[in-house]
């Protein structure tokens, strides 16, 4: 009887587990699996139990569900060093109340698809590497109480739609690259200690319309203008490190604010109109003819308008340069249309090669000089050009996702900005669908790797101490360049003698490709 009772209890528990799994909507299951797919590095293995063999997805690390187990309401994975993209499919978790991914290494943009989460109260994406603008649709998240986007690389203007968030209490946007004014304005007679009353004023706009706002941090951006009256209750430290019109010495120097001192950033056109007014008044006092006075006013107005248009055009051009979207359209057989934020100047010296060009240069891909489970390395010679090393990634098209494409694009942009005599130089890339190809093209280093020379015991193979010191100093210079002279710094996940190539003169070149091969590891991680 005891055995029968135990069996019935176990059966009941199993049944409840299965019911919980079945009652979780399929769109929420898909959203969670898509989130994992978009993560390409999980050093702390926090997502190790995220697998479909687990009967209850509500037991996955960082996932919290309702008591009935029928909806996901919280996703909290902070400080876990996750590297990857913010999956747009998270917008399908309809009842999500808290999205906390603070302190990871997420890249890419904030998907506007997240702005349909009507139940969201906490959005914490702080201390990541996100880029691009804040979607203006964020104003649709009416229940938001806490927004933390600090310490990213976000650009563009702060959306005035924040004013639609009536319950917003905390807003942290510090340490980004936001430009333009703080989107908030209202009556100049407003008392700073009664900021909650601002919501009832018809003349207020932007953030001033958030009556519950208690904490806001805008420091260390590139904001211009002045501190809005409705935000004067905030500490001045929360506005430091910008380009605001302020006597605060903690604002950015003029060299970081487009050359104009923050304290003297009044529009030029205002000064011109002021001079025009004085000029008109002076001539009016001398009783000049009316037609001449009218002509002067019209001419001055036209000059002022031209100057204003020129200023606005220059400002718009400056804004666009920092966040130009370069779309990389995928083949018709692939699922997503993807894009990354890349400064076009970075890619000016990087060429896109066709597969046929590289095939001819590498003797029909027969000249193999290295291989691994992840890649094959070919040597080639371009017609009338340099010797090249072509790294072809070993991955099947059916395992290639939209997020892998984003990662590949980002790696090309990252490698393209490196230019030092002791680092590998990216010459170009190949990206084709038929046959499926993802290749990176580098300068060829004719003397192989440092590992090959250190482990060669044949006669005449050993390095002299002078040559060893030269190689060591060259490696140190390359690492110094990567870590301190490139902004942002470039890190290599694994540095060993196989990642150091030697030229004909035995000058070392630190190869940053080691990090690029994470693409393959990501594919294996998600689809093995």
């Amino acid at each position: 009887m005891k055995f029968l009772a135990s069996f019935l209890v176990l059966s009941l528990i199993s049944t409840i587990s299965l019911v919980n799994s079945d009652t979780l909507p399929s769109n929420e299951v898909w959203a969670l699996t898509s989130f994992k797919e978009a993560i390409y590095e999980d050093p702390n293995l926090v997502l190790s139990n995220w697998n479909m063999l687990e009967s209850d997805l509500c037991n996955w690390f960082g996932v919290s569900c309702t008591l009935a187990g029928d909806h996901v309401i919280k996703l909290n994975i902070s400080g876990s060093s996750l590297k990857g993209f913010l999956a747009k499919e998270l917008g399908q978790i309809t009842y999500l109340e808290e999205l906390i991914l603070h302190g990871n290494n997420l890249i890419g943009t904030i998907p506007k698809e997240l702005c349909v989460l009507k139940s969201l109260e906490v959005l914490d994406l702080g201390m990541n590497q996100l880029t691009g603008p804040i979607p203006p649709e964020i104003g649709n998240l009416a229940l938001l109480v806490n927004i933390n986007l600090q310490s990213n690389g976000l650009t563009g203007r702060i959306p005035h739609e924040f004013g639609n968030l009536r319950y917003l209490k905390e807003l942290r946007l510090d340490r980004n690259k936001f430009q333009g004014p703080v989107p908030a304005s209202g009556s100049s007679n407003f008392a700073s200690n009664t900021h909650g009353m601002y919501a009832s004023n018809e003349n207020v706009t932007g953030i001033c319309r958030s009556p519950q706002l208690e904490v806001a941090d805008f420091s260390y951006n590139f904001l211009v203008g002045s501190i809005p009256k409705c935000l004067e209750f905030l500490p001045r430290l929360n506005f430091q490190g910008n380009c605001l019109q302020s006597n605060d010495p903690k604002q950015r120097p003029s060299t970081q604010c487009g050359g104009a001192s923050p304290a003297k950033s009044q529009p030029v056109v205002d000064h011109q109109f002021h001079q025009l007014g004085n000029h008109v008044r002076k001539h009016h006092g001398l009783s000049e003819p009316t037609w001449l006075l009218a002509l002067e006013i019209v001419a001055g107005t036209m000059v002022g308008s031209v100057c204003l248009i020129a200023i606005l055009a220059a400002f718009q051009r400056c804004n666009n340069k920092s966040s130009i979207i370069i779309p990389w359209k995928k083949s018709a057989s692939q699922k997503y249309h993807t894009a990354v934020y890349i400064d076009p100047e970075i890619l000016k010296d990087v060429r896109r090669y066709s597969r046929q060009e590289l095939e001819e240069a590498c003797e029909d891909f027969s000249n193999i000089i290295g291989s691994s489970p992840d890649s094959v390395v070919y040597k080639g010679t371009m017609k009338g050009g340099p010797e090249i090393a072509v790294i072809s990634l070993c991955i099947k098209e059916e395992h290639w996702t939209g997020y892998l494409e984003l990662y590949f694009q980002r790696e090309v942009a990252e490698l393209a900005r490196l230019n030092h005599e002791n680092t590998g130089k990216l010459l170009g890339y190949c990206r084709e669908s038929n046959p499926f190809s993802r290749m990176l093209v580098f300068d060829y280093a004719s003397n192989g790797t440092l590992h090959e020379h250190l482990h060669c015991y044949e006669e005449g193979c050993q390095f002299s101490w002078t040559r060893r010191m030269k190689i060591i100093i060259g490696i140190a210079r390359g690492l110094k360049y990567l870590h301190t002279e490139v902004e942002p710094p470039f890190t290599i996940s694994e540095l060993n003698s196989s990642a150091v190539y030697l030229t004909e003169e035995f000058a070392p070149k630190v190869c940053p490709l080691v990090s690029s091969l994470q693409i393959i590891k990501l594919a294996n991680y998600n689809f093995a």
Side-chain angles (χ1 to χ4, degrees):
M1 288 296 293
K2 289 183 179 180
F3 173 78
L4 181 59
S6 300
F7 177 76
L8 290 174
V9 170
L10 289 173
S11 299
L12 180 61
I13 292 174
S14 300
T15 303
I16 292 174
S17 249
L18 289 173
V19 168
N20 283 342
S21 178
D22 290 341
T23 56
L24 200 63
S26 59
N27 61 312
E28 297 186 15
V29 176
W30 168 245
L32 292 177
T33 54
S34 296
F35 172 79
K36 181 183 177 182
E37 177 184 320
I39 301 299
Y40 59 79
E41 191 168 326
D42 178 13
N44 299 323
L45 301 179
V46 296
L47 303 182
S48 59
N49 72 330
W50 280 47
N51 61 77
M52 296 308 296
L53 298 178
E54 173 66 47
S55 59
D56 189 359
L57 277 65
C58 297
N59 288 332
W60 285 5
F61 178 84
V63 177
S64 300
C65 298
T66 58
L67 290 176
D70 54 350
H71 291 292
V72 175
I73 56 174
K74 293 181 183 179
L75 181 59
N76 185 349
I77 307 177
S78 56
S80 298
S81 301
L82 296 177
K83 293 184 179 181
F85 297 88
L86 195 56
K88 62 181 180 181
E89 289 82 4
L90 290 176
Q92 298 183 25
I93 308 180
T94 311
Y95 294 89
L96 193 66
E97 298 174 3
E98 296 183 11
L99 178 58
I100 304 175
L101 300 172
H102 189 98
N104 287 291
N105 293 300
L106 299 177
I107 61 175
T109 60
I110 300 175
K112 66 179 181 180
E113 287 80 5
L114 298 184
C115 299
V116 299
L117 298 172
K118 301 295 186 181
S119 300
L120 198 64
E121 298 177 8
V122 177
L123 177 63
D124 188 349
L125 305 175
M127 296 190 69
N128 282 285
Q129 299 178 36
L130 298 171
T131 56
I134 299 175
E137 292 86 354
I138 197 169
N140 298 331
L141 303 179
L143 298 182
L144 270 177
V145 176
N146 187 320
I147 299 176
N148 188 344
L149 301 175
Q150 65 183 180
S151 299
N152 280 285
L154 299 172
T155 55
R157 294 184 172 227
I158 298 175
H160 65 84
E161 285 83 0
F162 277 136
N164 299 337
L165 307 178
R166 313 298 289 175
Y167 299 101
L168 186 63
K169 290 186 177 181
E170 186 170 330
L171 176 63
R172 298 189 181 275
L173 303 176
D174 52 294
R175 291 168 175 78
N176 282 284
K177 299 178 182 178
F178 293 118
Q179 298 175 330
V182 178
S185 63
S187 171
S188 60
N189 298 323
F190 176 72
S192 60
N193 61 345
T194 57
H195 61 277
M197 296 170 55
Y198 233 89
S200 61
N201 194 323
E202 294 181 357
N203 296 324
V204 300
T205 60
I207 297 175
C208 288
R209 297 179 60 232
S210 298
Q212 306 296 327
L213 190 65
E214 298 174 357
V215 177
D217 195 342
F218 304 93
S219 59
Y220 298 103
N221 284 285
F222 295 88
L223 301 175
V224 299
S226 58
I227 299 175
K229 291 286 184 180
C230 68
L231 299 179
E232 287 185 345
F233 69 94
L234 295 171
R236 285 295 176 267
L237 292 175
N238 292 15
F239 294 96
Q240 69 181 1
N242 281 289
C243 301
L244 298 173
Q245 298 175 18
S246 171
N247 294 324
D248 186 356
K250 294 182 179 179
Q251 293 296 308
R252 292 183 183 273
S254 59
T255 54
Q256 298 181 16
C257 297
S261 174
K264 300 179 181 179
S265 57
Q266 291 182 342
V268 176
V269 68
D270 288 346
H271 178 64
Q272 291 175 334
F273 275 125
H274 179 69
Q275 286 183 325
L276 175 63
N278 291 338
H279 185 66
V280 170
R281 283 192 294 272
K282 181 175 71 174
H283 285 275
H284 182 69
L286 294 176
S287 301
E288 287 194 330
T290 305
W291 66 269
L292 181 59
L293 179 63
L295 181 62
E296 288 176 344
I297 293 175
V298 171
T301 303
M302 291 178 64
V303 171
S305 300
V306 170
C307 292
L308 178 61
I309 292 171
I311 291 169
L312 292 176
F315 184 74
Q316 184 65 31
R317 193 181 305 115
C318 180
N319 276 350
N320 288 342
K321 185 176 180 181
S322 62
S323 59
I324 292 178
I325 302 179
I326 298 182
W328 298 39
K329 293 183 179 180
K330 304 181 69 181
S331 66
S333 63
Q334 292 172 303
K335 188 174 181 180
Y336 302 98
H337 172 79
T338 56
V340 289
Y341 281 74
I342 299 174
D343 187 334
E345 286 296 309
I346 293 177
L347 297 180
K348 66 179 181 180
D349 295 325
V350 177
R351 178 181 169 187
R352 178 171 179 176
Y353 292 94
S354 68
R355 180 184 172 90
Q356 183 177 355
E357 284 181 286
L358 298 180
E359 189 172 5
E360 292 175 0
C362 299
E363 302 173 15
D364 295 330
F365 292 128
S366 63
N367 194 1
I368 299 174
I369 59 174
S371 64
S372 71
D374 299 330
S375 64
V376 179
V377 184
Y378 305 97
K379 178 190 173 184
T381 304
M382 301 302 298
K383 291 181 179 178
E387 290 185 316
I388 58 173
V390 179
I391 293 90
S392 178
L393 305 182
C394 298
I395 186 169
K396 296 180 180 179
E397 184 174 9
E398 57 266 27
H399 291 168
W400 194 256
T401 69
Y403 296 112
L404 283 173
E405 184 64 27
L406 277 175
Y407 184 64
F408 178 78
Q409 294 171 20
R410 178 180 180 269
E411 284 299 300
V412 170
E414 284 287 289
L415 294 168
R417 63 193 181 97
L418 303 183
N419 186 17
H420 189 272
E421 61 180 348
N422 294 122
T423 62
K425 175 64 177 174
L426 180 72
L427 300 179
Y429 64 94
C430 174
R431 193 175 151 272
E432 292 191 0
S433 300
N434 189 23
F436 182 80
S437 305
R438 292 297 183 274
M439 302 180 186
L440 298 172
V441 183
F442 287 86
D443 262 334
Y444 176 69
S446 59
N447 259 324
T449 68
L450 178 60
H451 180 273
E452 293 169 352
H453 288 272
L454 292 177
H455 294 81
C456 174
Y457 302 105
E458 298 177 5
E459 185 177 352
C461 232
Q462 294 298 305
F463 286 149
S464 66
W465 281 109
T466 302
R467 180 163 287 174
R468 289 173 184 262
M469 288 302 299
K470 178 182 177 182
I471 292 172
I472 291 171
I473 292 172
I475 294 172
R477 286 174 177 165
L479 292 177
K480 180 177 181 291
Y481 168 77
L482 294 173
H483 293 169
T484 65
E485 299 175 23
V486 178
E487 181 59 38
F490 189 100
T491 58
I492 297 178
S493 59
E494 182 182 353
L495 178 62
N496 53 41
S497 58
S498 296
V500 178
Y501 285 78
L502 302 174
T503 67
E504 188 174 352
E505 294 79 21
F506 289 93
K509 287 185 176 289
V510 179
C511 181
L513 182 63
V514 177
S515 63
S516 300
L517 295 181
Q518 294 293 335
I519 299 172
I520 308 298
K521 295 177 182 177
L522 167 60
N524 294 334
Y525 173 70
N526 282 320
F527 302 103

